[in-house]
Amino acid sequence: MERTIMKTGLWAKCADPDDICSVLEKILVVAGGINFDAAVFLHGVCGIFALALHDQFGYKLDWVLDDEYEGGNPWAHLVHVFCSITDSEDILATVDVRGISDDFELFIDEFADFVDYPGVWVSPPSREELEREMIREVGAETYKEYYQAAMTIIEEHPDWYSAGEDDL
């Protein structure tokens, strides 16, 4: 049986991928006493949204680094943290605040200023390493607020982030 194209969430809702950020900007988030919109989970604290997806659905944490990375500290070259839906060997789709997409070239195009498709891949951080880095970046209390906001978005839009067995 041939696998169908998988797009959920804003990938399915927006006819033009360029419209995705404008939709994210309408979803309000409060963290650290400051009002944000959900685009912060695409550009800013994507790692926190990836942790929430990982915790909620068990998806594999993943990341892509900029084209300048040649070894050393990967955090200095981080472009985007997201989750992958995999079978035992292959990535079937990627997931971030925008939803699920099996078109990685389109998925990574949002970050074309920093990375050329297919990007630089190294082993992703563990859940603990990623959480530690996110807390280092924003502080423990703000991390908790972002994490709760991410979980709220996921709970309000479960169909955006959940891949049914028939989809894979």
Side-chain angles (χ1 to χ4, degrees), residues 26-62:
K26 295 176 185 166
I27 301 172
L28 298 179
V29 173
V30 178
I34 300 171
N35 293 328
F36 294 95
D37 57 62
V40 73
F41 291 122
L42 186 59
H43 298 285
V45 291
C46 54
I48 296 173
F49 203 87
L51 283 165
L53 287 168
H54 171 76
D55 292 347
Q56 185 75 16
F57 298 104
Y59 298 145
K60 177 184 173 288
L61 291 169
D62 229 325

Side-chain angles (χ1 to χ4, degrees), residues 136-155:
R136 188 191 67 73
E137 278 189 29
V138 301
E141 287 306 310
T142 302
Y143 167 82
K144 289 177 191 173
E145 292 174 14
Y146 274 127
Y147 183 87
Q148 184 53 54
M151 290 300 274
T152 298
I153 292 170
I154 293 166
E155 289 164 4

Side-chain angles (χ1 to χ4, degrees), residues 85-140:
I85 300 171
T86 63
D87 61 15
S88 59
E89 298 174 14
D90 299 316
I91 294 175
L92 304 176
T94 50
V95 192
D96 66 8
V97 68
R98 298 171 290 180
I100 299 171
S101 174
D102 61 359
D103 183 342
F104 188 70
E105 188 169 2
L106 181 61
F107 183 88
I108 206 69
D109 187 61
E110 175 71 24
F111 310 99
D113 290 347
F114 308 103
V115 63
D116 293 324
Y117 175 81
V120 177
W121 292 75
V122 297
S123 294
S126 68
R127 190 210 181 285
E128 293 73 24
E129 290 170 314
L130 180 55
E131 182 176 55
R132 190 171 40 251
E133 184 64 20
M134 295 295 96
I135 289 171
R136 188 191 67 73
E137 278 189 29
V138 301

